């Protein structure tokens, strides 16, 4: 199966990331609560996509999209709203069949989120640790949307390769088993 990625929030960084990931053979889910963010004119930059692109316009409850995502989907949370981000983190942590969960933001934002996810969400430290932040490659420190997007995309591609290798090892070990 091809990898799947869900980008919650298609602002400056989210759209740049979608542009990069759309050139990969993946299922790409774009989710935003702001209708203008997923307009045909704004997404025209994805016109030459290799990826299968799914858009989810969800004005009220973006977390409802989790039920529509394929098992193993890698989730990236980068909306315009901290309240929406923390609600999405909470909902993502309640889904056991997701791939990675990444959150864009500062260490201060993550400290507040960790506290809320524990106190209000009832999540334990091990569950909360499923959320990766910061996202992207640690040694790329630029703050421009395109730089962040390249860093996050490179990190995801590395994850896809590791998954493919582990699936290949699993399949090859099955092939060696005597019948």
């Amino acid at each position: 199966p091809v990898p799947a990625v869900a980008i919650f929030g298609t602002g400056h960084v989210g759209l740049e990331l979608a542009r990069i990931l759309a050139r990969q053979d993946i299922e790409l889910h774009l989710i935003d609560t702001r209708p203008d963010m997923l307009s045909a004119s704004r997404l025209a930059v994805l016109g030459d996509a290799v990826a299968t692109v799914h858009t989810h316009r969800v004005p009220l409850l973006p977390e409802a999209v989790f039920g529509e995502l394929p098992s193993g989907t890698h989730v990236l949370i980068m909306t315009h709203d901290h309240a929406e981000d923390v609600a999405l983190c909470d909902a993502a942590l309640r889904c056991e069949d997701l791939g990675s969960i990444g959150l864009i933001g500062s260490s201060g934002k993550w400290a507040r989120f960790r506290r809320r996810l524990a106190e209000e969400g009832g999540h334990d430290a091990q569950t909360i640790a499923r959320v990766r932040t910061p996202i992207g490659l640690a040694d790329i420190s630029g703050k421009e949307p395109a730089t962040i997007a390249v860093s996050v995309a490179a990190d995801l591609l590395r994850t896809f390769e590791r998954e493919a290798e582990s699936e290949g090892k699993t399949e090859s070990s099955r092939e060696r088993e005597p019948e």
Side-chain angles (χ1 to χ4, degrees), residues 5 13 17 20-21 74-78 100-106 130-159 162:
V5 176
V13 176
L17 182 56
I20 296 166
L21 292 178
H74 297 278
V75 171
L76 295 162
I77 299 169
M78 50 182 63
S100 60
I101 304 168
L103 171 69
I104 199 168
S106 67
R130 289 176 52 208
V131 178
R132 284 192 52 210
T133 188
I135 54 176
L137 301 176
D139 52 346
I140 297 179
S141 59
K143 299 299 178 205
E144 302 79 19
T147 303
I148 295 167
V150 166
S151 172
V152 172
D155 196 28
L156 264 176
L157 292 174
R158 191 182 279 165
T159 299
R162 278 195 300 264

Side-chain angles (χ1 to χ4, degrees), residues 11 36 42 44-45 50 55 70 81-82 89 95 111 114-115 117 126 152 157 175:
D36 55 319
R42 193 155 186 281
V45 295
V50 173
T55 56
D81 181 328
H82 284 204
C89 286
C95 298
R114 269 197 321 265
R115 187 175 57 253
L117 291 166
Q126 184 177 350
V152 172
L157 292 174
E175 290 169 7

Side-chain angles (χ1 to χ4, degrees), residues 87-98:
L88 287 165
C89 286
D90 178 60
L93 290 174
R94 294 177 192 285
C95 298
E96 294 182 14
D97 65 340
L98 294 176

Side-chain angles (χ1 to χ4, degrees), residues 6-134:
I7 301 173
F8 286 84
T10 54
H12 301 302
V13 176
L15 186 60
E16 288 293 337
L17 182 56
R19 290 176 68 178
I20 296 166
L21 292 178
R23 289 168 169 64
Q24 302 297 316
D25 182 19
I26 65 169
E27 270 196 59
L28 181 59
H29 296 262
L30 305 176
I31 305 99
D32 208 296
T33 57
R34 302 164 293 173
D36 55 319
M37 289 289 132
L38 296 173
S39 68
S41 61
R42 193 155 186 281
L43 297 183
V45 295
L46 307 180
D48 62 349
V50 173
T52 303
V53 180
H54 308 272
T55 56
H56 304 267
R57 292 169 181 83
V58 284
L60 292 176
L61 297 170
E63 56 272 26
V65 172
F66 285 119
E68 302 173 30
L69 300 175
S71 181
T73 296
H74 297 278
V75 171
L76 295 162
I77 299 169
M78 50 182 63
T79 78
H80 64 292
D81 181 328
H82 284 204
E84 192 172 313
D85 284 352
V86 77
L88 287 165
C89 286
D90 178 60
L93 290 174
R94 294 177 192 285
C95 298
E96 294 182 14
D97 65 340
L98 294 176
S100 60
I101 304 168
L103 171 69
I104 199 168
S106 67
S107 57
K109 173 182 174 180
W110 179 231
R112 289 188 302 277
F113 278 26
R114 269 197 321 265
R115 187 175 57 253
R116 287 191 63 193
L117 291 166
E119 293 171 5
E120 299 169 30
H123 299 286
D124 61 30
Q126 184 177 350
T127 301
I128 294 169
R130 289 176 52 208
V131 178
R132 284 192 52 210
T133 188

